[in-house]
Amino acid sequence: MWHEERLFINGELRDADGGATFDNINPATEEVIGVSADASQQDFDDAITAARSAFDLGDWSTDVSLRVRCLEQLHDALQDHVEELSALTVAEVGATQMACSSIQVVEPLKIIPFYIDVAQNYEWRTDLGISETLGGECQRWVEKEPVGVLAAITPWNVPNQINLAKIIPALAAGCSVVLKPAPDTPWTGLALGKLIAEHTDFPPGVINIVTASDPAAGSILTTDDRVDMISFTGSTETGKKVMEAASGNITKVFLELGGKSALIVLDDVEDFSMVAATAAFGMATVCGQGCALSTRLLLPHSRYEEAVEAIANMMGAVPPGDPSDAGTMMGPLISARQRDRVERYVQSAIDEGAKVVCGGKRPEGFNRGFFYEPTLITDVDNSMTVAQEEIFGPVLVAIPFDDDDDAIRIANDSIYGLSGAVFSGDDQRAISVAKRVRTGTMSINGGVWYGADVPFGGYKQSGIGREMGVAGFEEHLETKAFSKPT
């Protein structure tokens, strides 16, 4: 299989210090598909040193045309290797071919041309005109310049999407980068190093990619004073630790964290087919392993049973299967650890008095692989563990509400505020409800908000800052004011 096992540091593909490696596991078969370099603290230090030097001494931070050329080359290389990258993602992530044709591989590639356009057309300088100041009449202006060295720490659920969403706007803005992919999905990250080394003119040190078996191995990235910004996607608990570590140097942080998003179905919905399809599709695409998925279904008391039946029937029609089969809609969870976590949450719901009406177990006929059935749990109160904590698996909970105000109250009764959805027979009623839900993105009647140009991030404990869109570009910029006598 086409892949890369070596680290990418200072423009070179190289083994880890001491030659250490760790196994890469196929979650659908539990087989070892190969190894990846297991970076030492010295490797991380080398990557930071290279990124610091590239930013401070090279032309990357000031030469927009160089950045554009290199990003165009990377985009071309990725387009030329879509099939190989998709096969790698199926094997490493357990993603289905359907998912690779959308969110897992193909759609993320659109991030690159978007940020090429942003970099070329961005207003890097703003004239503030002439003003009488304490020092006399002065010409004043503001310039934007890159933050510096970015440490990007990414998860395993949609690695191509998140890797690109972190490094591309940073590179377009003129930053240098150290990327640390998750240990569960090292090859999708290291593949970028392979393509950059073989097909682009990126100067040495501008982008460095370092993998390690220990999720905490990259802690040096959060405490080193040579790092100017940390961009982390993962759990809220780990995000808190990243923020605490960064506070020692007052390092800028971007955090995209957990979610427990609500899908609100108002009582004037004509039928539940679209609602059911939306719920089931979200589970199938990434096996429920998505922070922005709407995992709380808020259903009106007056139509609760009708909605539950429609959703359960749709979810039951999406069985997990071999992700390498083109007809499979849902693959496995990423690991035995993650499947065990899902099982514990489902059991906690039962213990607290909820009812499993669909799924709730490992599928029959699978002797290997980390598979779990799409699961719908009813009789759930919003105070229950499964309604408050992020499960990160194919589990939806159905919660009844009385009226619009009650639905909004329940939706906002969460430490999270990442995403959500509203369905109604009246667009304006749906929008009115959506505006009162404190969350970063909202879907109205099946609308899809995802896109390279759409800022993504959360309220409350779902994170700080925005990724994607122009806002995601500006996260990587500093503002400098100038003044000179006329």
Side-chain angles (χ1 to χ4, degrees):
M1 177 184 295
W2 179 89
H3 69 282
E4 179 55 62
E5 300 175 0
R6 294 168 293 179
L7 310 177
F8 184 60
I9 299 175
N10 203 27
E12 296 182 352
L13 294 166
R14 72 182 216 192
D15 293 333
D17 179 49
T21 63
F22 64 98
D23 291 341
N24 195 3
I25 307 295
N26 183 325
T29 65
E30 302 183 40
E31 296 174 347
V32 176
I33 56 176
V35 299
S36 296
D38 196 355
S40 68
Q41 290 296 296
Q42 184 61 54
D43 292 315
F44 279 99
D45 183 77
D46 290 348
I48 297 171
T49 299
R52 187 76 261 169
S53 179
F55 183 82
D56 291 339
L57 304 177
D59 297 328
W60 187 260
S61 65
T62 58
D63 191 340
V64 175
S65 62
L66 171 63
R67 305 201 295 260
V68 166
R69 182 174 83 248
C70 291
L71 289 172
E72 287 175 338
Q73 292 169 339
L74 176 57
H75 185 246
D76 290 344
L78 284 164
Q79 292 281 26
D80 290 342
H81 290 81
V82 164
E83 291 186 6
E84 294 95 328
L85 191 58
S86 295
L88 188 157
T89 305
V90 170
E92 177 177 76
V93 183
T96 64
Q97 293 187 39
M98 177 188 72
C100 288
S101 68
S102 58
I103 189 64
Q104 287 283 8
V105 177
V106 173
E107 286 297 319
L109 300 192
K110 297 177 182 178
I111 292 170
I112 304 177
F114 173 77
Y115 283 110
I116 289 173
D117 183 69
V118 171
Q120 288 176 313
N121 295 289
Y122 192 73
E123 294 292 336
W124 296 92
R125 184 182 189 277
T126 302
D127 186 12
L128 298 181
I130 297 172
S131 179
E132 190 67 36
T133 72
L134 295 175
E137 193 175 75
C138 290
Q139 173 70 49
R140 302 154 309 130
W141 71 98
V142 172
E143 293 186 8
K144 297 286 189 177
E145 56 186 42
V147 165
V149 175
L150 172 76
I153 304 171
T154 58
W156 41 258
N157 56 331
V158 278
N160 298 300
Q161 156 64 31
I162 301 177
N163 288 341
L164 292 177
K166 290 199 182 299
I167 71 169
I168 299 304
L171 294 170
C175 298
S176 59
V177 177
V178 179
L179 170 65
K180 180 193 174 295
D184 294 284
T185 53
W187 284 1
T188 44
L190 295 175
L192 293 171
K194 179 180 180 66
L195 294 176
I196 290 168
E198 297 176 354
H199 300 282
T200 77
D201 298 326
F202 274 86
V206 165
I207 172 71
N208 306 272
I209 304 170
V210 187
T211 55
S213 59
D214 182 359
S219 59
I220 184 175
L221 297 175
T222 64
T223 57
D224 196 298
D225 61 8
R226 295 170 295 172
V227 172
D228 299 295
M229 178 178 172
I230 302 162
S231 183
F232 170 79
T233 295
S235 72
T236 294
E237 287 307 308
T238 304
K240 291 177 181 178
K241 295 176 183 177
V242 169
M243 194 172 184
E244 182 179 2
S247 69
N249 296 315
I250 317 296
T251 304
K252 181 177 181 179
V253 294
F254 165 82
L255 302 174
E256 194 275 285
L257 307 176
K260 195 68 181 180
S261 303
L263 188 159
I264 302 171
V265 183
L266 301 182
D267 58 12
D268 61 353
V269 169
E270 291 187 9
D271 67 71
F272 294 99
S273 57
M274 178 62 77
V275 173
T278 299
F281 181 78
M283 291 298 98
T285 305
V286 289
C287 198
Q289 300 168 120
C291 53
L293 294 176
S294 295
T295 52
R296 285 185 297 159
L297 305 177
L298 275 52
L299 309 175
H301 268 296
S302 60
R303 304 184 68 187
Y304 187 79
E305 298 300 330
E306 178 187 358
V308 164
E309 181 180 5
I311 295 166
N313 288 340
M314 183 67 75
M315 292 180 69
V318 188
D322 181 357
S324 65
D325 185 332
T328 297
M329 294 186 66
M330 190 177 90
L333 291 156
I334 191 67
S335 64
R337 178 186 66 254
Q338 192 63 25
R339 185 180 58 190
D340 291 346
R341 171 188 170 95
V342 172
E343 290 178 327
R344 288 195 299 271
Y345 271 111
V346 172
Q347 185 59 51
S348 77
I350 295 170
D351 293 344
E352 291 182 50
K355 178 182 177 183
V356 175
V357 297
C358 174
K361 63 183 188 302
R362 303 180 187 187
E364 298 178 1
F366 288 82
N367 296 321
R368 298 182 68 81
F370 310 123
F371 295 95
Y372 198 79
E373 292 182 347
T375 300
L376 178 61
I377 301 176
T378 61
D379 299 340
V380 174
D381 180 272
N382 199 54
S383 64
M384 290 182 178
T385 303
V386 289
Q388 288 295 318
E389 297 185 11
E390 185 175 45
I391 299 172
F392 229 60
V395 179
L396 301 179
V397 299
I399 304 169
F401 66 86
D402 296 325
D403 54 24
D404 293 9
D405 288 342
D406 192 37
I408 294 162
R409 177 191 63 78
I410 295 170
N412 287 331
D413 181 18
S414 171
I415 64 170
Y416 301 113
L418 189 56
S419 192
V422 181
F423 280 86
S424 171
D426 182 340
D427 281 353
Q428 290 308 308
R429 182 184 178 194
I431 293 170
S432 178
V433 168
K435 285 183 175 181
R436 295 171 61 192
V437 178
R438 302 195 66 237
T439 188
T441 58
M442 289 295 290
S443 168
I444 307 298
N445 285 330
V448 177
W449 50 261
Y450 171 83
D453 59 338
V454 178
F456 173 63
Y459 290 20
K460 298 187 282 187
Q461 293 190 36
S462 283
I464 297 173
R466 291 295 180 269
E467 199 160 67
M468 309 273 277
V470 175
F473 181 79
E474 292 179 332
E475 290 282 350
H476 304 90
L477 299 177
E478 294 281 16
T479 300
K480 181 181 289 185
F482 295 83
S483 175
K484 69 178 185 66
T486 56

